[in-house]
Amino acid sequence: MSEGRLDMRLLTLPPTARDGAMTAKVMGRAGVTTLPCADVAALADGIREGAGAVLISEEAALMHHEQLRRVIAEQPTWSDLPVIVLTRAGADSLEIDRVLESLGNVTLMDRPVRIAALVSVVRTALRARARQYQM
């Protein structure tokens, strides 16, 4: 789907290196090039270099929302970078609503997540991103 294209990579900010490797393996089988980022600075650099979508946990979104908001705001005006947030069960709060609104194009997925559902959401986000690039 996106092999070799920086602008179509799925960037992740996994809680552990093992989670990052597992996500990359699952997405790789689905044809999605994935870059697990060690920290929010690496994620920001990856977004600046080119990204098709971002996958992060709710905890990471809350902890790093200001840095993420800034780097997403640096995108060209036509850009609407898809951000997929894996949420905790029952995690509804005004704080997470404000954070998610500040990140723009956000899709929420409840954990635990089914692999087929995650792959489907990522592919949908990447197709939408590809249409943005075509315009």
Side-chain angles (χ1 to χ4, degrees):
M1 171 182 264
S2 60
E3 192 153 339
R5 290 189 51 192
L6 293 180
D7 62 355
M8 289 302 292
R9 300 178 296 181
L10 173 66
L11 303 179
T12 66
L13 185 57
T16 67
R18 182 175 176 265
D19 289 333
M22 187 168 53
T23 301
K25 182 178 178 182
V26 166
M27 288 298 141
R29 284 195 303 248
V32 176
T33 301
T34 304
L35 176 65
C37 300
D39 54 33
V40 71
L43 180 67
D45 288 344
I47 291 170
R48 288 182 188 105
E49 290 169 0
V54 172
L55 174 66
I56 59 174
S57 68
E58 174 186 355
E59 296 83 0
L62 286 169
M63 185 181 306
H64 304 295
H65 76 275
E66 193 54 39
Q67 293 123 309
L68 293 170
R69 186 198 58 73
R70 279 195 305 267
V71 73
I72 290 170
E74 293 171 6
Q75 296 281 292
T77 55
W78 56 263
S79 176
D80 194 17
L81 180 66
V83 178
I84 302 161
V85 179
L86 302 177
T87 62
R88 296 173 286 139
D92 282 332
S93 73
L94 290 176
E95 181 183 15
I96 191 66
D97 286 346
R98 281 192 301 272
V99 166
L100 297 178
E101 186 176 329
S102 75
L103 298 180
N105 183 8
V106 174
T107 300
L108 302 177
M109 291 194 73
D110 289 335
R111 291 181 294 201
V113 64
R114 289 183 40 229
I115 291 174
L118 179 61
V119 169
S120 176
V121 167
V122 168
R123 284 181 172 160
T124 299
L126 292 174
R127 277 193 304 275
R129 186 67 166 167
R131 284 192 295 276
Q132 291 175 32
Y133 289 129
Q134 289 172 353
M135 291 184 184

